[in-house]
Amino acid sequence: MTPEQLSDVIVSALQRLVDEGRLSLPDGVPAQVRVERPKVKEHGDYATNIALQLAKKAGLNPRDLATDLAAVLAEHDGVSTAEVAGPGFLNLRVAADAQGQVAAHVLEAGTAYGRSELYAGQKVNLEFVSANPTGPIHIGGVRWAAVGDSLGRLLTFAGADVTREYYFNDHGAQIDRFARSLLASARGQDAPEDGYGGQYIHEIAADVVAKHPDVASLPDAEATEVLRAEGVELMFAEIKASLHDFGVDFDVYFHENDLHESGAVERAIARLDELGKMYEKDGARWLRTSDYGDDKDRVVVKSDGQPAYISGDLAYYLDKRERGFDRCLIMLGADHHGYVSRMMAMCAAFGDEPGVNLELLIGQMVNLLRDGQPLRMSKRNGTVISLEDLVGAIGVDAARYALARYSTDSPIDLDLDLWASTTNDNPVYYVQYAHARLSSILRNAADLGVDHGLDRFDPGLLEHEKEGELLRALASFPEVASRAAELREPHRVARYLERTAAAFHAFYAVCRVLPQGDEEATDVHRARLVLVDATRQVVANGLGLLGVSAPERM
């Protein structure tokens, strides 16, 4: 029995009390009841405070309501005991056969186990990474690559239609500095004071020179334009290739320059004009963002007639909404905190709901450690640690898992020695090893000819304490996946996988799964093999949500 199924049982019990006239609820019986694992395992398998929540509305003492509810629940075949605790809490124990049935549910659902309809019918635009094409992706962008792709998988798992989008910033001063840096390299000169350094600049400049041998001798403006066009294309191709090798691909690569060339900026301003949200002052055109929580109004068109930076944001947001996206999620670095209020005000100015139609997620910094000391420089990139540096040090799986394992609200110190190790201290190794061990048990069972088909599965035989703990861990996976999607927190899946791996190892240490020697396979062996197979499936599903492989051998 999963928590969701137990919730349905409690709802049915409440409805029975209403039907029998023992309970009156002015707002009706709730559609679902939250059940949780007690902090003290001796209190039962699950607990709920629904009696405390409903007692006042029902005009009853919470403990009296809990007592009536416990009596009805105790009659259910799937509930072993229902006990009232404290002022009105209910502690519940699930019958072994009902709990064991979770393993069958997992195997019947397979890769779909844990899916939900939380965001069914909703179109989500998920924009992440969006690093400027002026250099390789640095470690902060790599964090968003891991978290963003995992979040996309989670939202899809929760029923959303997700489009992954990369905002290609090919318009502005940074691109100008990039082009001038390439020109300096092509001419054998030092990089401009405000330019970009690093071996990659020389590599790209050399590639452009190989294609255009005379570029260095052209007039500055002409040479810069050639190097800009060719260099940006080469840099972006490298970024895309790096992300692909990291398991991250995008559905849309949106060019900022298109907003200015297509008239999208003018259309966005015209829309805000129609809504009465623009005004003129000091020769400039302003948006009334202070009406929607911003600390001041924002200039959209400067007094010289040139669009201000926010104009691109206005056009881009409107473009997404016009493409039919219900939710626009944007992932930004730690230096963008001041950006949030103006973007939310912009969303409201268009008549949309901040936090629903537009969400901004801010990620904190990542620090890499080796031998206990921080890494500060990349040989190729000059000043930053890049995606390639991290993957080269610990591999794709460990990098993705490590970056997705922590709340984005918190800075990370990643110990490269730990994450490269093949010990149980390494969280990704610990989880992947559990999957490999589960797979090995199933291979050995096949070699022994032990069949564990569901047609011979007796869930009631899974009555050992450690079997129950592992089953309850499997039962909680759908809720973990849904909450991780709802709260935009992929790290919940990683932490869940580590707990489940621990529950499996504890089970395997005391519950013999395979017959030994000449011993005949029993129904208990078969039941435990079903549990092993279900655990392998859930671990694989969870690793898949993080974009991490589930090896069958290690």
Side-chain angles (χ1 to χ4, degrees):
M1 182 181 292
T2 66
E4 292 76 17
Q5 291 169 330
L6 184 55
S7 170
D8 292 341
V9 170
I10 297 171
V11 169
S12 296
L14 287 168
Q15 187 62 57
R16 176 177 159 184
L17 291 175
V18 170
D19 294 343
E20 292 177 355
R22 299 158 63 190
L23 175 63
S24 176
L25 293 172
D27 299 329
V29 174
Q32 59 184 14
V33 171
R34 184 163 181 79
V35 294
E36 299 178 320
R37 296 285 299 278
K39 293 180 180 179
V40 180
K41 66 179 182 180
E42 286 76 18
H43 290 174
D45 299 330
Y46 296 100
T48 179
N49 65 350
I50 189 62
L52 291 165
Q53 293 179 25
L54 298 180
K56 186 174 182 180
K57 295 178 181 179
L60 297 173
N61 177 282
R63 191 172 174 87
D64 291 342
L65 174 54
T67 300
D68 288 345
L69 186 55
V72 176
L73 289 170
E75 297 177 14
H76 193 281
D77 291 339
V79 178
S80 176
T81 63
E83 299 171 350
V84 180
F89 293 100
L90 268 177
N91 292 330
L92 306 170
R93 286 181 173 81
V94 177
D97 56 347
Q99 189 71 82
Q101 198 62 43
V102 168
H105 293 326
V106 172
L107 295 183
E108 288 164 353
T111 57
Y113 181 71
R115 287 185 179 272
S116 71
E117 298 298 310
L118 181 66
Y119 293 113
Q122 295 193 36
K123 290 188 65 177
V124 177
N125 183 285
L126 180 61
E127 181 198 331
F128 60 105
V129 183
S130 297
N132 291 326
T134 54
I137 299 175
H138 62 76
I139 191 65
V142 181
R143 183 177 196 180
W144 275 141
V147 174
D149 187 64
S150 296
L151 182 53
R153 293 165 185 257
L154 279 163
L155 290 169
T156 300
F157 208 58
D161 177 4
V162 178
T163 294
R164 292 168 171 79
E165 187 150 316
Y166 190 114
Y167 187 53
F168 183 16
N169 186 339
D170 53 356
H171 182 91
Q174 290 179 315
I175 299 297
D176 294 337
R177 292 199 297 273
F178 177 66
R180 287 189 282 106
S181 301
L182 293 175
L183 178 58
S185 178
R187 289 176 172 172
Q189 301 168 353
D190 292 336
E193 189 174 334
D194 64 345
Y196 296 93
Q199 182 60 30
Y200 76 95
I201 288 290
H202 302 306
E203 293 170 2
I204 291 174
D207 287 343
V208 177
V209 169
K211 188 174 179 181
H212 302 278
D214 63 340
V215 67
S217 61
L218 295 173
D220 286 1
E222 189 175 345
T224 300
E225 191 52 42
V226 171
L227 285 157
R228 179 203 311 274
E230 296 281 352
V232 165
E233 192 62 34
L234 287 168
M235 189 72 257
F236 198 52
E238 182 176 322
I239 289 171
K240 283 203 253 188
S242 297
L243 287 168
H244 175 76
D245 292 343
F246 196 55
V248 178
D249 294 293
F250 290 84
D251 304 299
V252 174
Y253 293 94
F254 194 101
H255 290 252
E256 180 187 8
N257 207 44
D258 290 348
L259 294 171
H260 297 272
E261 294 184 352
S262 68
V265 170
E266 290 76 11
R267 288 197 300 275
I269 294 171
R271 172 71 65 84
L272 292 166
D273 259 332
E274 292 171 6
L275 294 170
K277 305 302 169 63
M278 300 287 297
Y279 66 93
E280 293 193 16
K281 176 184 173 184
D282 301 330
R285 306 199 67 200
W286 300 69
L287 177 61
R288 301 181 189 278
T289 50
S290 63
D291 288 353
Y292 303 100
D294 198 3
D295 58 347
K296 61 182 179 180
D297 290 346
R298 301 288 170 177
V299 174
V300 177
V301 181
K302 294 182 283 189
S303 57
D304 62 2
Q306 293 299 308
Y309 186 80
I310 195 175
S311 66
D313 293 329
L314 298 172
Y316 189 32
Y317 175 72
L318 183 60
D319 178 88
K320 287 180 180 180
R321 294 287 281 137
E322 289 179 338
R323 280 187 274 153
F325 292 109
D326 304 296
R327 293 176 179 268
C328 303
L329 273 64
I330 305 175
M331 298 180 148
L332 300 170
D335 57 341
H336 285 76
H337 273 289
Y339 199 59
V340 175
S341 60
R342 78 187 67 171
M343 290 293 286
M344 290 305 177
M346 172 202 75
C347 169
F350 277 116
D352 288 342
E353 185 176 352
V356 176
N357 302 115
L358 176 64
E359 291 181 56
L360 301 183
L361 306 180
I362 304 292
Q364 297 302 315
M365 300 295 292
V366 180
N367 301 305
L368 302 185
L369 306 177
R370 173 164 279 156
D371 298 325
Q373 299 300 314
L375 291 182
R376 302 195 182 280
M377 186 170 286
S378 162
K379 291 179 180 178
R380 178 171 183 256
N381 308 319
T383 58
V384 296
I385 304 296
S386 72
L387 170 56
E388 287 80 3
D389 296 321
L390 180 61
V391 169
I394 64 176
V396 171
D397 278 348
R400 288 192 61 129
Y401 191 101
L403 291 167
R405 184 178 183 259
Y406 302 92
S407 168
T408 55
D409 292 336
S410 304
I412 311 176
D413 289 327
L414 291 187
D415 184 335
L416 297 181
D417 299 314
L418 169 67
W419 287 96
S421 69
T422 53
T423 70
N424 285 340
D425 292 331
N426 178 350
V428 68
Y429 179 85
Y430 184 67
V431 173
Q432 288 183 314
Y433 178 71
H435 185 273
R437 193 175 192 182
L438 289 156
S439 300
S440 175
I441 294 168
L442 295 171
R443 285 195 303 272
N444 291 337
D447 291 342
L448 292 172
V450 181
D451 174 33
H452 63 283
L454 293 181
D455 56 329
R456 302 181 66 178
F457 175 48
D458 182 353
L461 295 174
L462 297 176
E463 54 187 0
H464 192 281
E465 176 189 0
K466 297 302 180 184
E467 291 168 339
E469 290 177 4
L470 182 53
L471 284 161
R472 285 187 288 278
L474 303 187
S476 68
F477 178 65
E479 182 181 11
V480 169
S482 292
R483 291 289 286 172
E486 184 180 12
L487 298 175
R488 322 300 189 226
E489 294 181 344
H491 71 273
R492 289 172 175 264
V493 175
R495 299 309 175 103
Y496 164 83
L497 288 172
E498 291 161 37
R499 294 193 301 271
T500 301
F504 159 66
H505 289 307
F507 149 77
Y508 192 62
V510 296
C511 296
R512 189 152 51 83
V513 176
L514 296 174
Q516 294 183 333
D518 296 330
E519 181 184 5
E520 288 290 324
T522 66
D523 287 341
V524 172
H525 292 123
R526 295 185 182 90
R528 287 175 174 171
L529 279 169
V530 169
L531 177 55
V532 165
D533 204 358
T535 304
R536 184 209 58 79
Q537 183 68 67
V538 170
V539 172
N541 288 4
L543 286 170
L545 290 175
L546 299 177
V548 175
S549 68
E552 296 192 358
R553 289 179 170 84
M554 287 180 70

